[in-house]
Amino acid sequence: MTDSKPTLADWQAAAAKEVKGKDLIWATPEGIDVKPLYTAEDVAGIDPGLPGFAPFTRGVRASMYAGRPWTIRQYAGFSTAEESNAFYHRNLKAGQKGLSVAFDLATHRGYDSDHPRVTGDVGKAGVAIDSVEDMKILFDGIPLDQMSVSMTMNGAVIPILAFFIVAGEEQGVPQAQLDGTIQNDILKEFMVRNTYIYPPEPSMRIISDIFAYTSANMPKFNSISISGYHMQEAGATQVQELAFTIADGMEYVKYGVASGLDIDKFAGRLSFFFAIGMNFFMEIAKLRAARVLWHRVMTKLGAKDERSKMLRTHCQTSGVSLTEQDPYNNVMRTTIEAMAAMLGGTQSLHTNALDEAIALPTDFSARIARNTQIVIQEETGMTKVVDPLGGSYYVEALTQELVDRAWEIIERVDAEGGMAKAVAAGWPKAMIEEAAAAKAARIDRKEEIIVGVNKYRLADEEPIDILEVDNHAVREAQIARINRVKAARDEAAAQAALDALRKGAAAKENLLALAVEAARKRATLGEISAAMEDVFGRYGTSPTPVKGVYGGAYGDDARWAQLMDGVAAVGRRKGRRPRMLVAKMGQDGHDRGANLVSSAFGDLGFEVVAGPLFQTPQEAADLAIKSDVDVVGASSLAAGHKTLIPELIGLLRQAGRSDIKVVAGGVIPAQDYQFLRDAGVQGIFGPGTNLVDAAGEVLRLLGHNIPPEGIEEAAE
């Protein structure tokens, strides 16, 4: 018997014996080797400091949540301004503390609801805002001098912010009292989300103009929310999300300084926005590392005020981690992610609802999501201690690892001329798409477990109630209001204000100031956007899918080889490889799913035609016929599937090409499957579909049968 203290070697021997030599090292998608045990040796030389003091590793305020908890800011908006306003009032009454507005895709892309390109998008994935009148209704009964409002808007940021300012004025609230945040993060749009309007150079000018205007007139308003959220949703690892988000922030600050602004006059109003996924400790460490990196970057850029170096962030639980299958599991996922955001030190938080893998949240699901935060704040005691995981061997070591790895990428960006040049070169987007393809392959191969999807799958699932927006009714109501606004305004004054905006765009006057005047004269969002488009042009790109990543993960996999043989057999019969158009119709720019399909099918041997973003059904049909494809894979993520896909099928039939098969994938509720089948859709692949199984089904449609792989049922 001995009283000597066990050593690390003693633990290693005991652990090895218990697991019979199994390697306990976990390699994360970021390439970080996570050990099963961390000790004081792993944090030697690491000093995380104290909360409220530079570099703010442990939090931006000394008291953090012990003084005041984070803001519960639920992201919401759908249908009309009236419907969204009623929803906001219900949520505020139930305990929500701030508003976060979701706009529909027509609004994001600078189109009024009466534009022919947006027939399937109006009111579907957010609220339709066409004029100041819509914005006034949106905030009716909500005092804008007392409520913090966050608006997720980048493409049409100028008219939306102008409408908000004028709505405040007409509510009796001067600009200086408006409190909130505008996202205004266009580099992220060019990299992953794609809801841009103008080319990169004028888009960056818009950001500088907003910095200048808000610095002079709106001291309580955050002029940008630099977003990593959409990077992780597009497939980025946490290291990539962290590095590219901080690098984006560097670029915006450089543009602000280059436009003549004092760095310490505007940098204190910059904020950030991160995704919080299911890698619990990685997400906690990511937020801590972000504060360290931003302090380092801002010091390097010449900021003197400590507030300029303080990273404040909003967070949102992951949308891509939500599953259509066994959706009540999403309540647990969101709870875990909310705790990670809290333990990482976020300033505000949105928690996703259990049904958001397939639709906008219902009142029922939104209440559960909101109450998740309230329960954490009110019942757990977790807010009583500042940075409760500070000093954890694992968390401190992981924080430092993330700082070091992200800094390597940031230094590469800086060496190559900044983030705008990196985005133009395309390598950050390619890096993210490779990570997305690798993750999808891991999930399909069950190397990464998603409970209820690729393991513990239910044999039968009952559909859940979802919120459905009547797109046609919303669009008709919006068009009627646009017509009323135009009929009631001083037309000459409105046109004069729009002409002034065009001239100012060419002459480098402040665009937001000119747009505010146009908004006062009741110019619409589409008119203001078009006036700038007349000078800047409209930007467009086509996806370039990555190659070899998805297929490379399968190696000698027998089923993959069977599918490749099937593709080759179809090719021999046709005299050419089977050809597939991956079509993105409507104004949704999220292209992760479309790119994954293109990558996987391309690696299998299909000839893939990657259609440009934002196609109309007519444009998609024309491209399908011109390319002589065998099948069209229509990707739908923003609820336009019931409008756009049937129209595409009808156009193919009218052109005499009903032989072209149409399959649909993406965010499609099971309740809509029969509607699509009746419209002529021959294959439907919802969220979480295994792409190997999907390829087998497409081959079957092309006349080559491959038996489907069995799905694992519930475990013992």
Side-chain angles (χ1 to χ4, degrees):
M1 183 173 180
T2 176
D3 293 327
S4 63
K5 183 178 179 181
T7 65
L8 181 58
D10 293 330
W11 174 84
Q12 290 170 332
K17 182 178 179 181
E18 289 173 7
V19 299
K20 297 180 174 62
K22 180 182 177 182
D23 186 5
L24 294 178
I25 299 291
W26 170 43
T28 74
E30 292 78 13
I32 296 172
D33 287 338
V34 175
K35 302 188 297 184
L37 180 70
Y38 284 78
T39 69
E41 293 179 8
D42 295 293
V43 295
I46 297 175
D47 179 10
L50 292 170
F53 292 87
F56 309 107
T57 314
R58 303 193 64 187
V60 295
R61 298 200 318 270
S63 61
M64 285 302 288
Y65 309 139
R68 177 169 61 88
W70 67 91
T71 301
I72 300 171
R73 187 189 299 280
Q74 292 298 92
Y75 179 55
F78 60 94
S79 184
T80 62
E82 291 91 342
E83 290 280 348
S84 293
N85 175 262
F87 187 77
Y88 293 161
H89 277 285
R90 293 195 296 272
N91 283 6
L92 291 170
K93 185 177 180 181
Q96 186 173 314
K97 301 301 183 184
L99 294 179
S100 186
V101 183
F103 299 96
D104 75 356
L105 291 165
T107 303
H108 273 288
R109 294 270 294 148
Y111 294 116
D112 284 336
S113 297
D114 58 0
H115 197 284
R117 296 195 72 88
V118 299
T119 54
D121 296 303
V122 176
K124 294 294 283 186
V127 61
I129 298 293
D130 294 309
S131 70
V132 169
E133 297 307 319
D134 288 329
M135 192 70 82
K136 288 172 68 177
I137 294 168
L138 188 67
F139 296 114
D140 184 39
I142 299 172
L144 293 178
D145 56 345
Q146 301 174 35
M147 180 60 59
S148 173
V149 176
S150 174
M151 292 179 286
T152 300
M153 177 53 64
N154 302 287
V157 63
I158 288 287
I160 284 295
L161 188 49
F163 291 168
F164 179 69
I165 290 167
V166 175
E169 289 176 351
E170 297 186 9
Q171 203 185 80
V173 179
Q175 296 181 29
Q177 292 184 28
L178 292 172
D179 186 5
T181 303
I182 189 82
Q183 191 164 96
N184 193 27
D185 176 5
I186 203 64
L187 286 174
K188 169 262 300 178
E189 299 295 333
F190 289 120
M191 200 186 325
V192 290
R193 189 165 176 250
N194 301 313
T195 47
Y196 42 69
I197 301 175
Y198 313 109
E201 187 174 345
S203 295
M204 294 298 290
R205 173 192 162 186
I206 285 170
I207 289 170
S208 295
D209 283 1
I210 290 172
F211 285 175
Y213 187 96
T214 55
S215 295
N217 301 289
M218 303 169 70
K220 296 172 66 179
F221 198 80
N222 298 318
S223 53
I224 194 168
S225 175
I226 304 153
S227 174
Y229 182 88
H230 301 94
M231 298 180 200
Q232 188 178 137
E233 293 292 280
T237 67
Q238 277 87 338
V239 167
Q240 291 167 354
E241 178 195 4
L242 176 59
F244 291 137
T245 304
I246 298 298
D248 278 353
M250 284 179 66
E251 192 80 348
Y252 294 136
V253 170
K254 289 177 182 178
Y255 267 79
V257 171
S259 68
L261 296 174
D262 181 332
I263 190 170
D264 286 314
K265 288 291 193 295
F266 73 90
R269 300 310 305 175
L270 308 183
S271 67
F272 287 78
F273 174 27
F274 287 102
I276 304 295
M278 283 297 287
N279 193 339
F280 185 73
F281 288 102
M282 188 74 74
E283 295 292 7
I284 295 166
K286 182 184 74 183
L287 297 185
R288 301 170 96 251
R291 292 191 288 270
V292 174
L293 289 165
W294 188 241
H295 188 273
R296 183 184 296 180
V297 162
M298 293 304 288
T299 301
K300 182 179 178 181
L301 292 176
K304 305 296 184 210
D305 188 339
E306 286 299 297
R307 182 173 173 77
S308 300
K309 307 176 187 179
M310 182 189 297
L311 182 143
R312 295 162 300 113
T313 190
H314 171 71
C315 290
Q316 181 175 339
T317 60
S318 172
V320 80
S321 73
L322 301 177
T323 65
E324 177 192 30
Q325 299 86 354
D326 209 356
Y328 290 103
N329 288 338
N330 294 333
V331 177
M332 288 81 85
R333 293 186 178 102
T334 295
T335 302
I336 291 165
E337 292 167 352
M339 289 173 59
M342 171 264 166
L343 292 166
T346 190
Q347 278 60 69
S348 66
L349 179 62
H350 166 90
T351 31
N352 287 327
L354 66 94
D355 48 2
E356 287 190 75
I358 50 174
L360 293 169
T362 61
D363 278 5
F364 170 77
S365 65
R367 179 173 177 269
I368 294 173
R370 181 185 60 251
N371 285 355
T372 299
Q373 297 192 54
I374 296 173
V375 168
I376 292 173
Q377 287 187 356
E378 303 285 350
E379 295 187 21
T380 65
M382 287 194 288
T383 60
K384 306 301 183 186
V385 175
V386 180
D387 189 25
L389 290 183
S392 156
Y393 298 145
Y394 177 36
V395 169
E396 299 298 356
L398 191 55
T399 298
Q400 188 60 49
E401 184 84 22
L402 287 173
V403 167
D404 293 343
R405 287 176 178 262
W407 189 247
E408 290 177 6
I409 297 176
I410 293 167
E411 286 188 312
R412 177 185 172 185
V413 171
D414 203 29
E416 295 184 15
M419 201 62 192
K421 289 186 177 178
V423 168
W427 65 264
K429 181 177 179 65
M431 186 182 288
I432 290 171
E433 289 180 355
E434 287 177 6
K439 181 179 178 70
R442 288 196 305 274
I443 292 171
D444 284 355
R445 287 174 57 80
K446 302 180 184 178
E447 294 165 358
E448 189 168 319
I449 298 304
I450 309 294
V451 174
V453 176
N454 62 2
K455 194 174 184 180
Y456 313 114
R457 181 80 178 264
L458 291 173
D460 297 296
E461 296 191 32
E462 291 293 325
I464 60 173
D465 291 333
I466 61 170
L467 178 68
E468 183 163 0
V469 174
D470 185 341
N471 164 245
H472 296 289
V474 173
R475 187 166 185 261
E476 287 174 4
Q478 288 300 119
I479 291 172
R481 183 175 294 140
I482 291 171
N483 292 337
R484 289 195 299 272
V485 167
K486 289 183 176 180
R489 72 188 182 186
D490 182 332
E491 188 63 25
Q495 293 303 325
L498 290 167
D499 286 340
L501 178 57
R502 286 187 194 90
K503 292 174 183 173
K508 303 237 169 140
E509 296 177 41
N510 190 285
L511 293 167
L512 180 54
L514 292 165
V516 167
E517 188 57 33
R520 289 178 180 134
K521 302 302 181 187
R522 289 320 191 253
T524 68
L525 176 133
E527 290 174 323
I528 292 171
S529 298
M532 293 187 289
E533 185 180 339
D534 289 343
V535 179
F536 302 145
R538 183 173 279 268
Y539 186 73
T541 59
S542 293
T544 305
V546 298
K547 296 179 180 179
V549 176
Y550 198 97
Y554 274 82
D556 298 327
D557 185 276
R559 183 162 174 77
W560 184 265
Q562 187 182 35
L563 286 167
M564 292 187 73
D565 289 343
V567 173
V570 173
R572 286 191 297 272
R573 191 176 73 244
K574 286 183 168 292
R576 60 164 174 80
R577 290 190 295 158
R579 192 174 295 141
M580 179 180 193
L581 167 63
V582 178
K584 283 286 297 178
M585 294 180 289
Q587 297 304 306
D588 175 48
H590 294 89
D591 59 357
R592 176 180 181 166
N595 288 340
L596 287 175
V597 169
S598 296
S599 298
F601 277 65
D603 286 354
L604 277 169
F606 278 79
E607 182 181 338
V608 175
V609 179
L613 300 176
F614 315 121
Q615 287 184 303
T616 64
Q618 183 68 65
E619 289 165 345
D622 290 345
L623 182 58
I625 294 167
K626 178 183 176 183
S627 303
D628 190 25
V629 302
D630 305 300
V631 60
V632 176
S635 173
S636 175
L637 292 179
H641 53 273
K642 292 178 73 173
T643 304
L644 301 171
I645 298 175
E647 185 178 345
L648 167 67
I649 292 170
L651 290 165
L652 290 172
R653 286 172 177 167
Q654 288 173 25
R657 292 304 309 271
S658 56
D659 60 300
I660 296 176
K661 319 292 185 186
V662 175
V663 299
V667 180
I668 302 175
Q671 292 92 316
D672 292 347
Y673 282 15
Q674 193 57 51
F675 173 90
L676 292 176
R677 290 185 182 112
D678 292 343
V681 174
Q682 298 191 44
I684 302 172
F685 307 109
T689 293
N690 184 302
L691 289 179
V692 173
D693 291 342
E697 176 64 15
V698 170
L699 283 173
R700 186 190 65 77
L701 291 173
L702 297 179
H704 187 89
N705 284 320
I706 292 180
E709 186 177 34
I711 297 174
E712 183 176 350
E713 303 296 347
E716 299 90 349

